Amino acid sequence: MLRYIGKRVLYILLSLWLIVTATFFLMRFAPGNPFTSEKRLPAQIEANLKAHYGLDQPWYVQYGEYLVKIAQWDFGPSFKYKSQTVNQLIADGFQVSAVLGLMAIFIALAVGVILGTIAALKHNRWQDYGAMIIAVAGISVPSFIMATVLQYVFALQLGIFPVARWESFMHTVLPALALASTPTAFIARLTRSSMLEVLSNDYIKTARAKGLSQSSITVRHTIRNAMLPVVSYMGPLAATIITGSFVIEKIFGIPGLGSSFVLSIGNRDYTVIMGVTVFYSIILLLCVLLVDILYVLIDPRIKLTGRKESA
Amino acid sequence: MKKRIMIVLSMLLMTSLVFAACSKPTNNQPGNTGNNKGTTSERESPAQGDAGGNASQELRYNLHSEPPSLHPGLANDNVSGGVLNQILEGLTTIGKSGKPEKAIAEQIDVSDDQKVYTFKLRDAVWSNGDPVTAHDFEYAWKWVLDPANEAKYAYQLYYIEGAEQANTGKGSDDAIGINALDEKTLEVKLVNPTPFFLELTSFYTYLPINSKIAEANKNWADNAGDLYTSNGPFKLVEWSHNDKVVLLKNDSYWDKNTVKLDKITMTIVNDENTVLGMFEKNELDWAGSPIGALPTDAIPSLRDSGKLHSQAAASTYFYKFNTTEKPFNNANIRRAFAYAIDRQAIIDNVTQGGQFPATAFVPPSIFADNSKGFFADNDIDKAKGFLQKGLEELGYKDVSELPAITLSYNTSEGHQKIAQAIQDMWTKNLGVEVTLENSEWAVYIEKLHSLDYQVGRMGWIADFNDAVNFLEMFRDKDGGNNDTGWENAQFKDLLAKSSTEKDAAKRTQLLKDAEAILMDEVPVLPIYFYTNNWVVNDKLKDVFIDGLSNIYFKWAYFEA
């Protein structure tokens, strides 16, 4: 097990290096630079700026220096937001995005699994159809529409929640719901289909024949086995959600990490693009690793060894 | 056993994530929120639902983005400027008359040749008690001009003798014409007589810096706190990055008796619809321009309900022609395209913000008669005549031989709608084929700068209230913001003459003549002059927005 994790960590470092390299060069190939603006700077000022940030160096020097800095977990200053370093920007933004993301994941898991389980147990009955209609709606409605509708109904019309911003618990409810809607629906569908598959297995029939109660069969034997696809979906989902959603953050005026991700590209804010990409990659790779470890805990049939990647 | 340990470990990991995530201080926590956030003196929003009685003097305003910098030398955008104009004050400031008035300067003497300005400073102090001295100005301005610093707006100071040389590394610091003669006297030497120099001294690049603090702490402007001192009507007390900026009344401001607001909370919410929603639910006292915008769709209904406030802004929305390539190297073709647009229809049906149709380039807030313009809007007969002449000159038999025209704009719904309307007008009125092309902002700007386009959209917001700010970009074809490849000897000559002309009326005439040439040759096709549109709490009075769309809360107050 430890050997396996060690090996995976090596792979993670390798992937990170590839991601850093690819992002670094793609970013430089994109037209424009951090100083592009409709009011063009006099050539000398632009040259001063480039010298200030070391952008006048040949690419291999910049690249080399950048790798060293990243290894020291120093992403440098932001080109656009002069008062913040990229490290601060990520730290501040992630604190907010992670809270929101974890709330959303909690909602998605709880509601999704319950809906899916009900649907599977009441297969082809109204509960099933009801749950699946909700799920299809949840998948088809994009989160920005969900966010706008929630905001319109519960904040603007009913006045139950504040319209926007990130201040108290009440401020977090609507964005968390909006963010959770698609994953909830997805998890419900996943749970339902894998529950149905598990329910048709012989060992469930045996359990029934032995006279075990429905609840005990569901909780002990079915849900646990049916959770595997959900768990594998959770890895990338968790990474995406806790690093923030641009759309939700924009609509609800939340100072999270998702906006930095999108806006930095438009600004050609090189250091922020790199910092946020590296950070996101680390979270993603760690989540995927975590999922693989969770697999073993849930399903004793899977063994982690250095040789085989579990699917 | 191993399994158990793993469960415990993974649960620990998850909880540590939760705790790590929860460590952000919440706003209703009183007192200090940690070093990097500055200090808060937050009271739980008492302004909420305050109706009548003793009006609370707390303003809730919104910025559409995080201020990129609150260092006056680094700021070069309207959000940073919007905060800086409340917390720092320059030698002059734009007063309620719309003209520059004495601020930190008590007395201003101008030499006969209009090239030497001597400012006598009043006894003003920074919010920590340090006196505001002539050295603070000298330090701030020379900081901007130091090529080692990353001041993008350094060229705003190029009117000063030796400034451009120092900034481009060709001259020394001492040769710059900025001299603190003593604690309270600042002498500034200019390259040319600059009639708008006192406008410039109110601009944020010319704001002072507390040199005592800045010399010792390079990062003084990064956060609110002891290092950030203010000399304006308000002082910065909290700056929670990407979240909000809080200002309190500055009791050490020299004119503090004029200031009535106690506190300004500037939240940072980007989405226009959200901001309007917050305004409607009384979470904000202001929504819309100048720092932000109202959603276009909401403007007609806000206007009908009488809630909308509008004011002309010194900015122009226009298309540029690439005059180095066929067919727009031909002035008649350009004229045909310029005359064949129904600007009023675009304003009424597309932009809907009460803008003014532009058939001149300099906004009417600078040249009043430009509201009439140099040619008639939607003059299709003339346009057809010009088109015919142009086609002949280029050797085309008729319009069908003209290759399709590409109209470029940066990706945005607003620009797209306007481009579609104009595409339709050109096709209908001139019979030309027009294709649209959009690209992401930075890519688009590069295309314009490298003349890789035919017709492209642009907007220009005045930096200072003078026509030369709009005209000088077309002086040289290689000039930074020309992008059209157009150059005209007579135009250049008129601009050169205007820069040394001391008589204000003659100078204005020279600039008007220059604009007439620009509007005859039309390397640019003006479409409309912008307006600022906003909605505001009925009780909030005397917020002042100047011609350049700078907002000032110095005089603002809530009516009981």
Side-chain angles (χ1 to χ4, degrees), chain A residues 27-48:
Chain A
M27 197 170 71
R28 299 299 152 114
F29 286 138
N33 65 43
F35 318 117
T36 302
S37 110
E38 72 264 60
K39 297 192 176 172
R40 185 143 65 156
L41 297 171
Q44 188 62 42
I45 295 185
E46 188 163 333
N48 291 347

Side-chain angles (χ1 to χ4, degrees), chain A residues 38-40 53 82 251 268, chain B residues 68 150 274 461 463 480-481:
Chain A
E38 72 264 60
K39 297 192 176 172
R40 185 143 65 156
Y53 287 104
K82 302 288 163 45
I251 292 174
R268 296 288 187 277
Chain B
E150 26 165 357
T274 305
I461 303 167
D463 292 315
N481 294 303

Side-chain angles (χ1 to χ4, degrees), chain A residues 32 36 38-40 44-45 48-49 52-53 80 82-84 95 99 155-156 163-165 250-251 255 268, chain B residues 21 24 66 68 147-148 150 167-168 239 241-243 270-271 274 281 283 440 445 449 461 463 480-481:
Chain A
T36 302
E38 72 264 60
K39 297 192 176 172
R40 185 143 65 156
Q44 188 62 42
I45 295 185
N48 291 347
L49 285 168
H52 185 93
Y53 287 104
K80 168 119 183 169
K82 302 288 163 45
S83 45
Q84 288 163 286
Q95 284 177 5
V99 172
L156 289 174
V163 181
R165 290 185 41 74
K250 187 171 184 308
I251 292 174
R268 296 288 187 277
Chain B
K24 187 183 163 81
E66 154 90 353
E150 26 165 357
N167 188 236
T168 53
W239 182 8
H241 294 294
N242 292 311
D243 187 29
N270 173 260
D271 192 274
T274 305
K281 297 305 283 184
E283 291 175 25
E440 184 255 6
I445 286 291
H449 287 345
I461 303 167
D463 292 315
N481 294 303

Side-chain angles (χ1 to χ4, degrees), chain B residues 13 19 44 63-64 77 94 101 107 111 139 177 233 241 243-244 250 282 335 338 383 406 446 468 475 481 484 521 534:
Chain B
L13 202 79
F19 282 122
E44 241 331 70
L63 306 171
H64 73 83
D77 63 283
I94 302 298
E101 289 173 1
Q107 188 192 333
S111 69
Y139 172 82
H241 294 294
D243 187 29
K244 66 177 167 183
N250 182 3
N282 192 26
R335 286 181 195 125
T406 307
E446 284 294 299
V468 76
R475 189 175 52 204
N481 294 303
T484 63
E521 289 262 313
W534 69 88

Side-chain angles (χ1 to χ4, degrees), chain B residues 180-312:
Chain B
L181 300 179
D182 58 52
E183 287 285 292
K184 294 284 169 199
T185 315
L186 184 74
E187 184 196 72
V188 185
K189 295 199 183 102
L190 304 180
V191 184
N192 285 314
T194 310
F196 47 89
F197 188 64
L198 293 181
E199 302 251 0
L200 286 174
T201 52
S202 72
F203 186 67
Y204 50 77
T205 313
Y206 284 81
L207 291 171
I209 292 171
N210 187 337
S211 54
K212 269 191 201 158
I213 293 177
E215 275 163 4
N217 301 281
K218 187 158 79 59
N219 300 324
W220 64 275
D222 285 359
N223 290 293
D226 294 341
L227 293 181
Y228 202 109
T229 54
S230 309
N231 75 333
F234 299 92
K235 58 181 179 187
L236 178 70
V237 290
E238 185 189 349
W239 182 8
S240 199
H241 294 294
N242 292 311
D243 187 29
K244 66 177 167 183
V245 176
V246 181
L247 313 180
L248 287 183
K249 182 177 173 174
N250 182 3
D251 286 324
S252 39
Y253 179 52
W254 64 271
D255 194 14
K256 66 172 177 187
N257 293 334
T258 307
V259 184
K260 298 183 192 78
L261 289 180
D262 292 326
K263 180 179 176 183
I264 305 175
T265 305
M266 297 173 157
T267 51
I268 299 167
V269 177
N270 173 260
D271 192 274
E272 292 158 5
N273 286 300
T274 305
V275 173
L276 185 58
M278 289 171 73
F279 172 80
E280 277 164 1
K281 297 305 283 184
N282 192 26
E283 291 175 25
L284 284 175
D285 296 309
W286 188 289
S289 299
I291 309 176
L294 290 171
T296 320
D297 311 336
I299 290 179
S301 67
L302 288 172
R303 182 180 296 116
D304 293 344
S305 64
K307 284 191 211 152
L308 190 75
H309 297 253
S310 289
Q311 181 179 319

Side-chain angles (χ1 to χ4, degrees), chain A residues 235-252:
Chain A
L237 172 79
T240 315
I241 281 193
I242 61 176
T243 49
S245 149
F246 172 64
V247 177
I248 303 283
E249 285 174 10
K250 187 171 184 308
I251 292 174
F252 289 104

